[in-house]
Amino acid sequence: MTNYAVGLFQTPASALAAAGTLKGAGFTTPELMSPVPMEGVEEVLGEKKSVIKYFTFFGGLIGGLLGFLLAAGTAVLYVHPTGGRPIITFPPFLIITYEATILLGILFTVLGFFISARLPAIRERVYVPEAAVDKFVVTVACDDNERFKRAEAILSEAGAEQVREQSEED
Amino acid sequence: MEPETNDPQYADIHRDVVRSIVETGPKYYAALATAIGVTLLCFFFPWFYQLYYGLGAAGVNHPQVWGTYLASFIFWIGLSHSGTLLSCVLHLSNSAWRKAMYRSAEAMTLFSLMVAATFVLVHLGRPWFIHWALPYPNQMEMWPNFRSPLLFDVMAIGTYLTGSSIFIYMGSIPDFAAVRDRTTGWRNTMYTLLSLGWRGTDTEWHRLHWAYTFLAVLIIPLAVSVHSIVSWDFALSIVPALHQTIFAPYFVVGAIFSGTAGIVTVMFVLRKYMEGFDQYITKVHFDNLGKLLLVLSLIWTYINVLELFTGWYSGTSTEYEALNYKLFGYYAPLYWEMILFCAVAPLLCISKRFRTSFVPMLILSIAVNIGMYTERFLIVGTSLSRQYLPDAWGVYVPSLVELSIILGSFALFVTLFLVFVKIFPSISMYEVKETMVIPAAEPVVPKEGSPT
């Protein structure tokens, strides 16, 4: 069971400042929760990289290959000559390829999103309902009571309206 | 801290949107019951009648084997265009005015596509064999013909429906989470499942931003391809007046045009009937949509003139005949009605006063869509009735079954939309919040003597 210090802020700027101070004070990287995407998080907590782009790219690639194989394979399996034209006809098959590229690109992007954002959540995690309405929240893991007190002091100093202790089973 | 102005705050939008979902008045139930009733009576009943007696119940016959079902199919596909496409374009161009209206616009896309898909079924004599159009291994070793534009359609529309559903869902996850905390009972269970455990952490927002952007980038070319492909159903045939290279852009522009008009209609209704939504859907939206309608109308008009010119310039007798028939033949009044509604009436949008007046914009949006339906009917209806041989000419008039199904399809759309507004937050809360002033951006308690 890990305990967390949870600070609720009125503005994103003060929440960000608090997160920066916590990080500077040697705490594990704090997590921010907010009702809207926050700007400037990466400047304070470090750059974020996501793997979604690889999913999109390879999804599209696989989709394109499968799409072309589907159309060309069908034509080869069930040969239906028309007007002496080639059996594998590129112009129409490229349309199928195009659509399949996008279809699998989309599906893989969603998969990449779920994996990298760790959704759906299969275990209970610290959650602050106010963060979905109008509060900007900073949470940070605290091993013991002493660290909690320090985190609480930092959060309060940065202008937190309220500081709570929550554990992951909450 | 009390807000200093009357501008809506974060908590207000939250309250208004949650209320639009959980509080349901008798008017809503009356509207829903009427919509379901009309759908059953005007859509499903005539359809079953037609299934029982055969396609003869519809007015389609030689030479006119494409009727209003196909016209409706194109119309609904077209209407679906603006929602997701506009949403994607405006997302990538970072337009703030998109935020209050895109969720409903995307829902419009989704439901228009569903209604369009039902017209494919309605158009078939034996819809229970629809799976024959899908590519899958089967014991008959029967595979669809991938060289046919109809198969392009299956792939394109299937992809578009999948993409649009995913796009609207992904954008709604944070809002599902926000609604989850304010609901109880079955609604709470539903939103808990739909929100997937979203907490709004910095990492989640970061991932959502990128996934959403990639989806937008993928969906824009997809949307353009869908209506291009629908146009090839016609343009790849050798029917006079249809066999034209301009058809793909013509259909795409027409689709976005009618879709934008559809958004104006939906925005008007949401603004009028959803309590509190008038704060978020404002004159700015109507003004911008009006500008868009004007531009699209001008492009559409240009392509129409070009179409006439190409026919005339071709110098072939069949094209002349098709042109003559379109402008002065049996269906000519419909043609001129279309020109009036889609090329002349939208010119009113030049005036800012007109664009920012709600009721005139509503009337214009409906007129544009009547005109656009007529356009689709003319494409489908007038071409086959005047093909090459004069002894194969004939006039097509839709039967009562067809007319009833058209009416019923609108009721079906309204039914789906009414269900939507009670399940999905119909305004994107988090994005509207983004456009607002951050709550109490000033220090919470101003220090004595400080300039603020």
Side-chain angles (χ1 to χ4, degrees), chain A:
Chain A
M1 187 172 96
T2 319
N3 281 327
Y4 286 83
V6 177
L8 277 68
F9 293 84
Q10 188 100 32
T11 67
S14 46
L16 262 183
T21 319
L22 281 171
K23 200 181 174 207
F27 283 87
T28 52
T29 306
E31 203 168 41
L32 290 153
M33 285 184 217
S34 52
V36 294
M38 282 166 72
E39 282 176 22
V41 177
E42 292 185 51
E43 283 84 347
V44 177
L45 297 183
E47 201 185 341
K48 286 187 192 302
K49 284 185 181 163
S50 88
V51 290
I52 299 176
K53 52 181 175 285
Y54 301 112
F55 277 86
T56 310
F57 177 75
F58 287 105
L61 206 64
I62 295 169
L65 284 172
L66 286 182
F68 189 80
L69 274 179
L70 176 69
T74 304
V76 171
L77 280 177
Y78 192 91
V79 178
H80 182 213
T82 36
R85 305 240 175 101
I87 296 302
I88 296 177
T89 27
F90 281 92
F93 290 179
L94 282 184
I95 294 166
I96 305 288
T97 310
Y98 181 84
E99 298 299 332
T101 305
I102 295 182
L103 178 62
L104 264 79
I106 288 174
L107 293 177
F108 271 68
T109 304
V110 177
L111 186 71
F113 166 68
F114 284 156
I115 290 173
S116 65
R118 298 192 182 172
L119 294 174
I122 43 172
R123 65 183 180 91
E124 289 284 318
R125 297 178 297 186
V126 172
Y127 179 60
V128 184
E130 290 93 327
V133 186
D134 56 358
K135 294 286 179 266
F136 297 83
V137 175
V138 180
T139 63
V140 66
C142 304
D143 308 331
D144 49 43
N145 205 29
E146 194 186 321
R147 283 181 80 77
F148 175 78
K149 293 273 182 235
R150 262 185 71 203
E152 189 182 24
I154 292 173
L155 289 168
S156 305
E157 189 140 320
E161 290 182 329
Q162 195 187 354
V163 182
R164 303 176 191 158
E165 187 173 15
Q166 266 182 279
S167 61
E168 285 217 307
E169 275 79 1
D170 272 359

Side-chain angles (χ1 to χ4, degrees), chain B residues 145-208:
Chain B
N145 177 12
F146 283 105
R147 289 173 210 163
S148 158
L150 296 180
L151 239 292
F152 305 165
D153 253 1
V154 173
M155 290 293 287
I157 292 168
T159 305
Y160 194 43
L161 194 57
T162 315
S164 305
S165 323
I166 288 175
F167 195 64
I168 190 171
Y169 174 66
M170 290 271 277
S172 307
I173 292 176
D175 285 350
F176 284 139
V179 178
R180 167 189 66 194
D181 303 331
R182 293 286 179 97
T183 48
T184 50
W186 65 270
R187 277 203 180 91
N188 184 267
T189 314
M190 180 176 77
Y191 291 120
T192 305
L193 291 174
L194 285 172
S195 61
L196 304 172
W198 174 273
R199 296 182 299 155
T201 63
D202 46 331
T203 309
E204 285 172 350
W205 284 118
H206 177 258
R207 304 293 190 262
L208 181 70

Side-chain angles (χ1 to χ4, degrees), chain B residues 197-276:
Chain B
W198 174 273
R199 296 182 299 155
T201 63
D202 46 331
T203 309
E204 285 172 350
W205 284 118
H206 177 258
R207 304 293 190 262
L208 181 70
H209 170 76
W210 282 111
Y212 201 67
T213 303
F214 287 138
L215 284 182
V217 170
L218 286 168
I219 285 172
I220 292 170
L222 173 64
V224 172
S225 82
V226 171
H227 226 67
S228 301
I229 287 173
V230 171
S231 85
W232 293 335
D233 289 345
F234 302 95
L236 292 185
S237 68
I238 50 162
V239 177
L242 296 187
H243 191 54
Q244 295 195 5
T245 46
I246 195 73
F247 251 47
Y250 180 33
F251 268 52
V252 172
V253 169
I256 303 173
F257 187 31
S258 80
T260 309
I263 291 179
V264 173
T265 314
V266 169
M267 287 303 125
F268 182 89
V269 174
L270 279 182
R271 194 178 180 282
K272 177 124 180 117
Y273 294 104
M274 304 289 268
E275 200 185 329

Side-chain angles (χ1 to χ4, degrees), chain B residues 21-329:
Chain B
I21 292 175
V22 296
E23 287 179 20
T24 308
K27 271 187 194 164
Y28 172 83
Y29 287 115
L32 185 66
T34 313
I36 293 176
V38 176
T39 308
L40 289 176
L41 197 69
C42 295
F43 188 83
F44 287 103
F45 174 68
W47 185 16
F48 290 138
Y49 175 83
Q50 178 191 297
L51 283 176
Y52 188 78
Y53 287 101
L55 266 180
V60 284
N61 209 332
H62 277 286
Q64 182 45 271
V65 288
W66 301 337
T68 52
Y69 294 154
L70 275 184
S72 305
F73 166 73
I74 312 171
F75 173 78
W76 284 107
I77 293 270
L79 204 59
S80 80
H81 257 59
S82 259
T84 306
L85 184 63
L86 204 66
S87 169
C88 291
V89 173
L90 296 178
H91 171 71
L92 293 180
S93 60
N94 217 359
S95 309
W97 67 277
R98 151 194 186 270
K99 296 182 175 177
M101 48 159 243
Y102 84 92
R103 181 75 48 74
S104 309
E106 285 173 15
M108 209 178 91
T109 293
L110 203 58
F111 302 139
S112 311
L113 273 175
M114 288 180 184
V115 175
T118 60
F119 270 104
V120 175
L121 295 176
V122 172
H123 179 64
L124 295 176
R126 293 181 295 166
W128 47 93
F129 290 127
I130 183 74
H131 58 282
W132 285 6
L134 303 173
Y136 66 97
N138 57 66
Q139 76 276 20
M140 292 183 284
E141 290 194 10
M142 196 177 62
W143 287 83
N145 177 12
F146 283 105
R147 289 173 210 163
S148 158
L150 296 180
L151 239 292
F152 305 165
D153 253 1
V154 173
M155 290 293 287
I157 292 168
T159 305
Y160 194 43
L161 194 57
T162 315
S164 305
S165 323
I166 288 175
F167 195 64
I168 190 171
Y169 174 66
M170 290 271 277
S172 307
I173 292 176
D175 285 350
F176 284 139
V179 178
R180 167 189 66 194
D181 303 331
R182 293 286 179 97
T183 48
T184 50
W186 65 270
R187 277 203 180 91
N188 184 267
T189 314
M190 180 176 77
Y191 291 120
T192 305
L193 291 174
L194 285 172
S195 61
L196 304 172
W198 174 273
R199 296 182 299 155
T201 63
D202 46 331
T203 309
E204 285 172 350
W205 284 118
H206 177 258
R207 304 293 190 262
L208 181 70
H209 170 76
W210 282 111
Y212 201 67
T213 303
F214 287 138
L215 284 182
V217 170
L218 286 168
I219 285 172
I220 292 170
L222 173 64
V224 172
S225 82
V226 171
H227 226 67
S228 301
I229 287 173
V230 171
S231 85
W232 293 335
D233 289 345
F234 302 95
L236 292 185
S237 68
I238 50 162
V239 177
L242 296 187
H243 191 54
Q244 295 195 5
T245 46
I246 195 73
F247 251 47
Y250 180 33
F251 268 52
V252 172
V253 169
I256 303 173
F257 187 31
S258 80
T260 309
I263 291 179
V264 173
T265 314
V266 169
M267 287 303 125
F268 182 89
V269 174
L270 279 182
R271 194 178 180 282
K272 177 124 180 117
Y273 294 104
M274 304 289 268
E275 200 185 329
F277 278 25
D278 49 353
Q279 297 176 76
Y280 313 111
I281 301 170
T282 60
K283 283 186 174 176
V284 176
H285 299 97
F286 281 74
D287 188 21
N288 286 330
L289 286 168
K291 286 177 193 163
L292 202 60
L293 273 181
L294 179 63
V295 172
L296 289 166
S297 151
L298 291 174
I299 303 175
W300 183 89
T301 310
Y302 169 73
I303 295 181
N304 258 280
V305 172
L306 205 64
E307 201 195 1
L308 296 181
F309 175 79
T310 323
W312 169 76
Y313 198 66
S314 72
T316 40
S317 60
T318 48
E319 286 288 339
Y320 275 169
E321 180 56 41
L323 212 61
N324 192 31
Y325 190 58
K326 186 196 273 189
L327 296 179
F328 309 109

